[in-house]
Amino acid sequence: MNPLLMIIMIVFGIAGILTVIRIAIGPSILDRAVASDVLLTEVMCVLGADMAINHHTRTLPVLIVVAAVGVFGSIAVARYVARRDNEPS
């Protein structure tokens, strides 16, 4: 395996662990939603780095699906929070 890719994976692995910790202890649903978006972005960056370093496009469909899940997940959380905030107490 390419040493540069190993360094990238280690750095993003540490960032991923810290992000999962933030998801676990986040005090609100918005904190958890932002942390999950960051985690998906980290996965996308690792996949993109792998494609760039190894000169292939085999993981491009996975990259597109991960991006779509991130967008639709953010929209779902935003709609849920907006609906919850508009309910009368």
Side-chain angles (χ1 to χ4, degrees):
M1 182 175 263
N2 192 336
L4 180 61
L5 188 59
M6 286 295 292
I7 293 171
I8 290 170
M9 286 188 173
I10 289 170
V11 169
F12 278 111
I14 293 169
I17 290 170
L18 293 173
T19 305
V20 169
I21 291 171
R22 188 68 204 166
I23 291 171
I25 64 170
S28 71
I29 191 168
L30 293 177
D31 291 331
R32 290 183 171 99
V34 169
S36 67
D37 284 342
V38 169
L39 187 62
L40 286 175
T41 303
E42 291 169 0
V43 169
M44 289 171 44
C45 288
V46 169
L47 289 173
D50 175 52
M51 287 191 310
I53 291 171
N54 293 326
H55 306 291
H56 68 82
T57 57
R58 291 185 302 262
T59 55
L60 188 62
V62 177
L63 191 66
I64 292 170
V65 169
V66 169
V69 166
V71 168
F72 295 135
S74 296
I75 292 170
V77 169
R79 288 181 59 127
Y80 171 75
V81 170
R83 187 177 311 151
R84 190 182 65 181
D85 287 344
N86 288 335
E87 289 179 357
S89 298

